[in-house]
Amino acid sequence: MWLNLKQRIWEWRGVLVTAPTVAGIVIAASSAGLFQLLEWTAYDQFFRLRPREPVDPRIIIVTIGESDLSQVGKGQLPDAVLARLIEKIKVQQPTAIGLDLYRNFPVEPGHQALLKVFNSTPNLIGVEKVVGESVEPPATLRQLGQVGIADLVLDADGKVRRGLLTVKDKGKTQESLGTKLALMYLKSKGLKLQVVDARKKHYQLGRALFKPFTGNEAGYSRTNSGGYQILLNYRGNQKNFRTISMTEVLENRIPRDWVRDVSKGVFAGQVVLIGATGQSSNDFFFTPYSSRFFSIFPSSKRSPKRIPGVIIHANLTSQILSAALNGRPLINTWEKPLEYLWILGWSFTGAAVRWLLFQKKLFRNKIVSRWTALGIFTLLPVGILLSSSYLVFLEGWWIPVVAPLLALMGSTVAIASYYRIELQREKADLELILETTTEHYDTMTTELQNQAEEAARESERRLAQFLEGVSVGVAVIDANGNPYFANHKAQELLGKGVVPDISVEHLAEVYQYFIAGTNQVYPVENLPIVRALRGERTTADDIEIHRADRSIPIEAWGTPIYDESGNVAYAIAAFQDITERRRAEEALRQAEEKYRSIFENALEGIFQIAPDGRYLSANPALAQIFGYNSPEDLIATMTDIQHQLYVEPHRHHEFIALMQQHGAVSGFEFQAYRQDGSIIWVRQNARAVYDANGLLLYYQGFVEDITERKRAEAERIKFTNQLYQLNQANERFVPRQFLQLLNKESIIDVQLGDQVQLHMSVLFADIRNFTTLSEKMTPAENFRFINAYLSHMEPAILENNGFIDKYIGDAIMALFSGSADDAVRAGIDMLHRLAEYNTTRTTPEHLPIQIGIGINTGSLMLGTVGGPTRMDSTVISDAVNLASRMEGLTKEYGVSMLISHHTFRYLHHPVMYAFRVIDRVTVKGKSEMVSVFEIFEADPPELREGKLATKATFEQALFLYTRNALREAAQLFQDCLELAPEDRVAQIYLQRCQHLAIAALAE
């Protein structure tokens, strides 16, 4: 039995060797992440091949596309429109609202309205970005704890395959937008998160068990697993969710088939996400659905498509809800040991199939049949591997595809190579035995002798090459002092080579050795090479070689060479040309002399300061600046610069800190004491000087006296402040905008009679029943009340590009030279500020007040009127009178704000405001009829919603009223009052209809 087993193992040795080897290589490469991108590609293809899933009925996405922004007329959604959108959705009582828009700063108009919506919507979740470059959430939502993170996790190829549930930011766990919305919905269904294993972070939510992503699942290798991540089991792209545009919501154009209960509305009980889908939002990401592995389309149609971020958040929310409520599987993966066995199994499969084909030798003489069989037996396992991986994916399991496929194919190729190598090895063994038997011992001996001789010759050649290749001159003399050797560099410097038959006494004369800088022959006994014959090792740098055309200064080293008996056999000298070094030394000497001259005669003070705060050197100019008799006096006296020189000692610390940080300081100014105790201003430039080891030696630089410049600057600043205060005082009486419109730079340029004709909007605002209020207050209380009220109103006008022309008692007249929208926004802002101001007037002595605002737009004359000693700014026009008339009509109709049709015509985007037509009036002295519009944007929310809901009915009733159809008009006005009982205008028209009907009956 054992012999049979050994025989079987030997027969299958190729499989037992190659299969584990290939599997090991593939597993190592997979663990290193080499197949990561390929595994992701296969994973993405499985998503695209998966049958389409049904639309999630629990989620509705409100999209904000380019057409919606075009409708608004701005590149970014204004706060007013966003507030209206959320209000529209909120009234239908959705379970949760997710706002996937960064709102870290106001987008006027309408910011105050949006803040009110935030405060009144407890199920609204905003977003912030915490990973990388952070983006703050709306401050109101942060305070209310209604913020989720919008960060998405991108893989190395830029695609989103993982969902981020939570992340820790500043020690606090933050939930993602999709997670927060899903938990709010599940809470309404009575489901809560339960801890299964706190150490492993396993949590049970309904029918789903959540396990965190670790970074090594399936196709991932050593991936960042920060926060709590899971693999996204996409429901699909935008087509797998119900979507509706912002414009359709605002205009109540809801698809009828969406409405299940008319009494509740389409958003009731739903999770609603609001997000940008227009290209300008740049909130798009690649997902597994962005591109296809196979495509028959042209390249232009194969370009990857990105998906809006709000769709990805919807997928995460849908995944959590479907898993918890319906048991829809999450994406699960195998443990690593099981994956390794999976790869090893397919490696054995590929090797075994191919080995069987070799052993059976099928179709040995039929090439076509052999290759056909090979293809079939290779592709069949591949098909089984791919189909089985796809089938388990449909059940929610992601197992490796590329690694086992490569192991399968690799072992198939490896077993063929192994088989071929085995055949070649057997052939090579036979050839080697034959060759070995023909060799002879004598041949080997001869070869070894030849190699020894060649090695000796090679050693001699290398020594000669080395001596010739060195960059210094090398000369050798024998024990008798006769020249023996000179390399190429030595011959170049000396101008000659080895001169035979000369004695040591004539070396200096023959080779022209002279004492440097003289015409005196160098003493032979002092030459380093001669002293080496005496056993000395010496150096000399005072030797010059005189040539016909030049003199060459050299530095020489002499060394003795001993024989086996310890006697000097040779003396060797090495020498080199030091001409450049001599030139550098001379240049350095001249530079030092030049520096000393500059140092002594400079107008600026030049110094060197030790790290411990002492002057190392100072020139006369520095001593003069600080009032000392000489530099020596300054250095001897100034031992502690920080306290003896600096008026503010901490400035010296700042100087040292800057020097340590930057290595140099320019323009450092400080106050310094002179020797006599007087104080001056100086300006200092300096740099740090270090030695070769990087240690600080000293600070050096220069100082200049800037005391006079500082005095001039102080006088100029004082004068400038006085002018600024004077201009500020003037602007309180004559607005800066008034001067600009008259094309005047200063009030001193204004002359009596200056005027200009402009197209402007005029705003009048007046307190209702001010006379009654005033009678109950003392004069001092009257002024305090008026000033407090006007202080609240003034910023609303200035912030909307207007200016106050005059105060008329408790009334305000303001002008707007820009768009008519500025005036309307200012009026709305004034009413909001009045509501805030009224919160402080809640006692019987201080009751809330009401104001009326009228606005008209037209041509007017702006200029100055008066006499030689007193003049004032004013505006003259019928447009001003009509604006005053609009303000007067607010009392008659009991409304807060009215505008003329002239103003309405010049509004850029009237749809941004809540408005309606309420009357047509005749201007005094004019035959032209003027249409009157009510702006009720700032009305209390309940009244505002009621007026919006009855707008169409009210305008139809007004039309019937003007046509004297009193009965029909009265009925419609009555319908308006049922939805908005506080609508004062509808009440007035209903009374008019009743009075006119009674009068008609009486006649």
Side-chain angles (χ1 to χ4, degrees):
M1 180 179 178
W2 172 244
L3 292 176
N4 290 336
L5 180 60
K6 288 179 66 178
Q7 180 65 26
R8 299 291 293 178
I9 291 174
W10 179 252
E11 290 177 357
W12 288 86
R13 65 189 183 281
V15 175
L16 296 176
V17 171
T18 57
T21 302
V22 171
I25 294 172
V26 171
I27 290 171
S30 178
S31 300
L34 299 183
F35 308 141
Q36 193 166 240
L37 289 176
L38 294 174
E39 291 285 3
W40 292 347
T41 302
Y43 181 64
D44 295 349
Q45 187 66 22
F46 284 169
F47 268 110
R48 293 191 289 270
L49 292 175
R50 188 171 66 178
R52 180 177 176 181
E53 297 193 32
V55 173
D56 195 327
R58 298 170 291 243
I59 298 175
I60 298 177
I61 301 174
V62 179
T63 63
I64 303 174
E66 298 300 330
S67 59
D68 297 303
L69 296 178
S70 299
Q71 190 78 10
V72 174
K74 288 193 174 183
Q76 193 170 6
L77 190 66
D79 287 348
V81 179
L82 182 58
R84 288 181 57 197
L85 176 63
I86 298 174
E87 284 282 358
K88 281 278 187 181
I89 297 171
K90 183 180 72 173
V91 296
Q92 298 187 29
Q93 299 181 348
T95 300
I97 305 173
L99 181 61
D100 187 25
L101 296 173
Y102 290 124
R103 226 57 183 180
N104 53 328
F105 57 86
V107 183
E108 297 291 356
H111 184 61
Q112 294 299 323
L114 182 60
L115 294 181
K116 290 182 179 179
V117 171
F118 284 167
N119 279 304
S120 63
T121 313
N123 60 340
L124 173 65
I125 305 299
V127 293
E128 67 175 327
K129 191 176 187 303
V130 299
V131 181
E133 186 176 352
S134 62
V135 178
E136 293 293 325
T140 303
L141 293 181
R142 180 187 285 280
Q143 294 171 0
L144 297 173
Q146 297 173 210
V147 177
I149 60 174
D151 297 89
L152 297 176
V153 183
L154 302 183
D155 286 333
D157 60 351
K159 291 185 179 180
V160 180
R161 298 183 181 88
R162 292 171 280 153
L164 186 61
L165 301 188
T166 62
V167 67
K168 277 201 172 184
D169 181 38
K170 300 177 182 178
K172 181 180 179 183
T173 300
Q174 296 271 67
E175 297 172 344
S176 69
L177 175 63
T179 305
K180 213 169 186 69
L181 296 176
L183 292 178
M184 290 174 67
Y185 185 94
L186 293 174
K187 184 178 181 181
S188 70
K189 302 297 182 182
L191 295 180
K192 293 184 179 180
L193 197 67
Q194 297 178 348
V195 179
V196 176
D197 189 333
R199 184 179 62 83
K200 295 182 178 180
K201 299 181 180 179
H202 291 181
Y203 302 100
Q204 187 77 36
L205 184 59
R207 298 171 61 183
L209 177 63
F210 288 86
K211 300 179 180 179
F213 174 82
T214 63
N216 292 295
E217 283 81 350
Y220 287 93
S221 177
R222 294 178 292 183
T223 303
N224 185 0
S225 58
Y228 197 107
Q229 304 177 28
I230 63 172
L231 292 172
L232 272 174
N233 189 5
Y234 279 91
R235 180 173 290 272
N237 52 27
Q238 192 165 336
K239 295 179 181 178
N240 288 75
F241 297 91
R242 290 185 293 169
T243 61
I244 184 171
S245 70
M246 178 190 74
T247 304
E248 290 174 329
V249 174
L250 293 177
E251 296 178 357
N252 294 320
R253 292 191 279 117
I254 309 296
R256 292 185 178 180
D257 57 341
W258 286 17
V259 181
R260 294 174 295 179
D261 188 342
V262 179
S263 63
K264 293 183 179 180
V266 68
F267 298 116
Q270 300 286 297
V271 174
V272 182
L273 284 101
I274 304 172
T277 59
Q279 291 296 327
S280 61
S281 68
N282 199 26
D283 187 26
F284 286 77
F285 301 88
F286 293 111
T287 67
Y289 296 96
S290 296
S291 61
R292 298 190 177 276
F293 192 78
F294 304 105
S295 179
I296 61 172
F297 297 105
S299 60
S300 61
K301 295 187 178 180
R302 291 202 303 267
S303 58
K305 293 183 179 179
R306 297 185 298 169
I307 294 178
V310 68
I311 303 299
I312 298 177
H313 292 303
N315 267 284
L316 180 58
T317 302
S318 175
Q319 178 177 349
I320 297 173
L321 296 182
S322 299
L325 296 174
N326 310 121
R328 180 172 178 260
L330 302 171
I331 299 295
N332 299 295
T333 59
W334 285 347
E335 296 293 335
K336 281 302 176 184
L338 190 57
E339 289 184 2
Y340 297 157
L341 287 175
W342 174 252
I343 295 170
L344 181 62
W346 284 106
S347 181
F348 267 106
T349 300
V353 170
R354 188 66 181 271
W355 187 258
L356 279 173
L357 291 176
F358 282 126
Q359 293 295 319
K360 298 300 182 182
K361 300 180 180 179
L362 297 175
F363 310 108
R364 186 170 186 178
N365 299 320
K366 298 179 181 180
I367 297 177
V368 175
S369 300
R370 185 169 70 249
W371 282 103
T372 302
L374 179 62
I376 292 173
F377 284 104
T378 301
L379 294 178
L380 183 61
V382 172
I384 295 173
L385 168 61
L386 295 177
S387 58
S388 60
S389 299
Y390 175 69
L391 289 175
V392 297
F393 174 79
L394 293 179
E395 296 301 318
W397 288 90
W398 177 21
I399 60 177
V401 177
V402 176
L405 180 61
L406 291 176
L408 173 67
M409 303 303 294
S411 62
T412 302
V413 174
I415 198 69
S417 300
Y418 179 87
Y419 188 80
R420 189 177 296 107
I421 290 170
E422 282 291 305
L423 293 177
Q424 291 175 353
R425 185 179 61 80
E426 292 175 1
K427 180 181 177 182
D429 288 345
L430 291 174
E431 293 175 351
L432 182 61
I433 292 171
L434 252 145
E435 185 179 348
T436 304
T437 57
T438 60
E439 292 181 353
H440 299 281
Y441 174 79
D442 292 340
T443 304
M444 291 290 295
T445 303
T446 302
E447 182 65 23
L448 289 173
Q449 290 176 350
N450 292 337
Q451 289 179 1
E453 293 174 359
E454 180 61 28
R457 288 192 295 270
E458 182 65 22
S459 178
E460 292 178 0
R461 285 196 299 270
R462 288 182 179 177
L463 178 59
Q465 288 175 357
F466 171 75
L467 291 176
E468 290 294 343
V470 295
S471 60
V472 298
V474 178
V476 181
I477 60 175
D478 59 19
N480 299 320
N482 298 321
Y484 177 76
F485 173 80
N487 70 349
H488 179 74
K489 187 65 177 179
Q491 296 176 31
E492 178 184 327
L493 293 174
L494 297 171
K496 59 188 69 178
V498 175
V499 179
D501 302 327
I502 64 169
S503 62
V504 69
E505 291 81 6
H506 299 93
L507 281 177
E509 295 178 4
V510 172
Y511 288 104
Q512 294 291 289
Y513 295 137
F514 288 83
I515 298 175
T518 70
N519 289 322
Q520 184 179 349
V521 176
Y522 200 91
V524 174
E525 64 276 9
N526 292 337
L527 286 172
I529 195 169
V530 175
R531 295 178 67 179
L533 286 177
R534 300 196 295 268
E536 301 178 22
R537 296 175 180 270
T538 58
T539 302
D541 62 356
D542 59 346
I543 304 173
E544 281 185 354
I545 299 173
H546 284 193
R547 301 276 297 275
D549 55 344
R550 60 195 174 106
S551 296
I552 304 174
I554 64 170
E555 182 177 17
W557 305 269
T559 303
I561 298 176
Y562 299 94
D563 59 16
E564 293 84 351
S565 303
N567 300 318
V568 177
Y570 298 95
I572 185 170
F575 51 92
Q576 65 178 358
D577 185 351
I578 59 172
T579 302
E580 293 302 322
R581 191 175 79 183
R582 292 292 190 216
R583 291 175 181 170
E585 291 172 351
E586 178 62 21
L588 179 61
R589 185 188 62 77
Q590 294 177 0
E592 289 177 347
E593 292 180 356
K594 183 177 180 181
Y595 172 77
R596 177 54 58 185
S597 176
I598 295 173
F599 183 79
E600 295 293 338
N601 300 301
L603 297 178
E604 296 87 359
I606 302 176
F607 63 87
Q608 288 181 340
I609 301 176
D612 61 359
R614 296 177 296 103
Y615 276 113
L616 298 177
S617 66
N619 69 339
L622 185 69
Q624 184 179 1
I625 290 173
F626 291 140
Y628 290 86
N629 296 325
S630 65
E632 293 75 19
D633 187 18
L634 170 65
I635 294 171
T637 305
M638 195 75 65
T639 58
D640 184 3
I641 292 176
Q642 179 178 352
H643 297 94
Q644 290 180 272
L645 182 64
Y646 281 79
V647 175
E648 300 172 310
H650 69 87
R651 291 287 287 161
H652 181 66
H653 286 300
E654 294 174 8
F655 170 75
I656 297 300
L658 290 172
M659 293 299 295
Q660 292 174 347
Q661 182 178 1
H662 302 290
V665 172
S666 178
F668 186 81
E669 298 180 357
F670 63 92
Q671 288 180 292
Y673 289 114
R674 300 182 87 240
Q675 187 181 26
D676 59 4
S678 60
I679 298 175
I680 60 173
W681 275 96
V682 296
R683 184 174 185 268
Q684 183 169 279
N685 299 307
R687 69 181 183 89
V689 179
Y690 301 90
D691 64 10
N693 297 320
L695 297 177
L696 178 64
L697 296 177
Y698 52 82
Y699 304 116
Q700 72 176 19
F702 62 89
V703 170
E704 58 178 324
D705 187 345
I706 58 170
T707 303
E708 291 302 321
R709 192 195 77 189
K710 283 291 186 179
R711 288 174 182 167
E713 287 179 358
E715 292 294 329
R716 184 175 69 253
I717 292 171
K718 180 179 179 182
F719 179 69
T720 302
N721 288 336
Q722 290 175 345
L723 286 178
Y724 176 76
Q725 293 171 2
L726 179 61
N727 286 333
Q728 290 292 102
N730 286 332
E731 285 186 8
R732 296 181 182 178
F733 295 94
V734 181
R736 173 175 47 82
Q737 296 91 332
F738 181 84
L739 296 177
Q740 292 174 346
L741 293 174
L742 285 178
N743 198 23
K744 303 296 183 182
E745 294 184 0
S746 171
I747 192 172
I748 62 176
D749 299 327
V750 178
Q751 301 294 326
L752 183 64
D754 286 341
Q755 53 79 32
V756 63
Q757 185 167 358
L758 300 168
H759 189 274
M760 304 180 74
S761 296
V762 185
L763 180 148
F764 275 92
D766 193 17
I767 300 177
R768 302 274 176 79
N769 302 319
F770 176 70
T771 302
T772 304
L773 291 172
S774 178
E775 290 174 350
K776 299 177 182 179
M777 294 184 286
T778 65
E781 290 173 339
N782 264 291
F783 276 96
R784 281 198 300 269
F785 163 67
I786 291 176
N787 288 331
Y789 159 72
L790 294 177
S791 296
H792 280 78
M793 298 298 104
E794 180 185 25
I797 296 170
L798 299 180
E799 291 172 5
N800 288 281
N801 306 314
F803 67 93
I804 297 173
D805 178 66
K806 56 176 63 67
Y807 295 111
I808 311 170
D810 63 303
I812 298 173
M813 176 180 172
L815 302 176
F816 298 83
S817 60
S819 68
D821 293 86
D822 291 338
V824 173
R825 284 196 293 267
I828 294 171
D829 198 6
M830 291 171 68
L831 293 172
H832 284 310
R833 291 172 183 268
L834 178 66
E836 294 178 1
Y837 176 62
N838 279 335
T839 60
T840 65
R841 300 179 60 82
T842 56
T843 63
E845 295 80 13
H846 299 87
L847 295 174
I849 62 175
Q850 293 181 336
I851 66 173
I853 298 174
I855 301 174
N856 181 45
T857 304
S859 180
L860 51 81
M861 291 182 292
L862 181 145
T864 56
V865 296
T869 59
R870 173 73 170 88
M871 64 180 180
D872 197 2
S873 61
T874 189
V875 289
I876 303 172
S877 173
D878 289 339
V880 179
N881 299 330
L882 182 54
S884 178
R885 176 74 188 282
M886 291 295 107
E887 185 276 321
L889 287 174
T890 61
K891 304 182 183 71
E892 181 178 337
Y893 284 103
V895 296
S896 298
M897 184 173 174
L898 295 176
I899 67 173
S900 69
H901 73 266
H902 301 296
T903 299
F904 184 82
R905 184 176 60 184
Y906 285 105
L907 292 176
H908 291 312
H909 302 290
V911 71
M912 294 175 60
Y913 314 106
F915 71 91
R916 63 179 179 177
V917 180
I918 66 168
D919 203 354
R920 284 175 58 84
V921 298
T922 304
V923 181
K924 184 176 182 181
K926 299 283 185 178
S927 59
E928 177 190 6
M929 298 288 289
V930 177
S931 295
V932 181
F933 291 78
E934 178 192 3
I935 303 295
F936 54 90
E937 183 71 32
D939 281 8
E942 184 177 354
L943 178 58
R944 177 178 174 275
E945 291 300 322
K947 289 182 178 180
L948 282 173
T950 60
K951 178 181 177 181
T953 305
F954 177 86
E955 291 178 347
Q956 183 181 359
L958 184 62
F959 174 77
L960 293 173
Y961 175 82
T962 59
R963 293 294 183 270
N964 208 28
L966 300 179
R967 180 181 300 173
E968 294 82 352
Q971 181 58 49
L972 292 178
F973 284 127
Q974 186 63 47
D975 293 343
C976 293
L977 289 172
E978 288 180 0
L979 292 176
E982 300 298 323
D983 188 348
R984 180 60 182 153
V985 180
Q987 294 174 5
I988 291 172
Y989 273 107
L990 180 60
Q991 292 172 3
R992 289 181 182 178
C993 290
Q994 293 170 347
H995 292 160
L996 290 174
I998 293 171
L1001 291 174
E1003 292 177 359

